[in-house]
Amino acid sequence: MLLLLDVMCVAGVGWAGVLIGALIRGERLVPTTVAVVVAGVLVLPGFTAGVLTNRRVVRGRQPQSGWVRSVWSPPELPRWGLTLTGMVFFAFWFAGISAIAGMSQEIPAGDTAAARRQVDHQQRFALGVLGGVGAGGTALAAASLLRVRRTARTGQPQTTSR
């Protein structure tokens, strides 16, 4: 199931990337509602699964707070994977942030071209956010998959002993 959610997350990142690329070229391939809903449906389950599966039960030395029974574990990915994730995240972040400038401009009455550009900027911002979330979710889910594979190979569950 985690593999399916990770693949969906990758598909959502690709979907957002293609649509942002088209918007930068001046083409809107699908309406904003469709673009954002499809990206959200593809990205958010994988992101949620990645966050939840990177929590581990605390074993060994107990944390200072007695109510903390689990901790979030950062992803155990190779450096190239973390670097690639960071670059993709930054690209989506930049696409979203750069769209804000276009959204803040006032639209003169009756100017449909300006209104269309504003909608394009709104779509680009939303897809930038979801693409960044998807990049992070993909890395988190991939890290969980690597941990499961490593655990299956060694036969011993990995624990956090901090």
Side-chain angles (χ1 to χ4, degrees), residues 96-111:
I97 293 299
S98 64
I100 290 176
M103 292 187 320
S104 63
Q105 297 172 353
E106 264 192 58
I107 302 172
D111 190 347

Side-chain angles (χ1 to χ4, degrees), residues 11-143:
V13 170
W15 168 263
V18 166
L19 294 180
I20 287 173
L23 287 168
I24 290 172
R25 287 191 317 271
E27 304 171 38
R28 187 180 331 142
L29 301 179
V30 295
T32 300
T33 305
V34 173
V36 172
V37 167
V38 169
V41 165
L42 290 172
V43 162
L44 294 177
F47 176 79
T48 304
V51 168
L52 292 177
T53 58
N54 276 290
R55 288 180 40 176
R56 294 201 223 149
V57 174
V58 176
R59 301 202 182 172
R61 191 178 72 148
Q62 290 298 317
Q64 291 182 1
S65 176
W67 61 271
V68 174
R69 299 282 181 240
S70 64
V71 293
W72 186 80
S73 171
E76 299 169 2
L77 289 177
R79 287 183 196 252
W80 66 265
L82 291 172
T83 302
L84 180 63
T85 299
M87 289 175 17
V88 171
F89 179 84
F90 178 76
F92 279 111
W93 176 82
F94 185 76
I97 293 299
S98 64
I100 290 176
M103 292 187 320
S104 63
Q105 297 172 353
E106 264 192 58
I107 302 172
D111 190 347
T112 57
R116 182 176 171 14
R117 281 192 308 273
Q118 179 132 14
V119 170
D120 289 350
H121 288 299
Q122 291 169 350
Q123 183 175 344
R124 194 169 96 201
F125 175 75
L127 290 171
V129 169
L130 287 169
V133 166
T138 299
L140 291 172

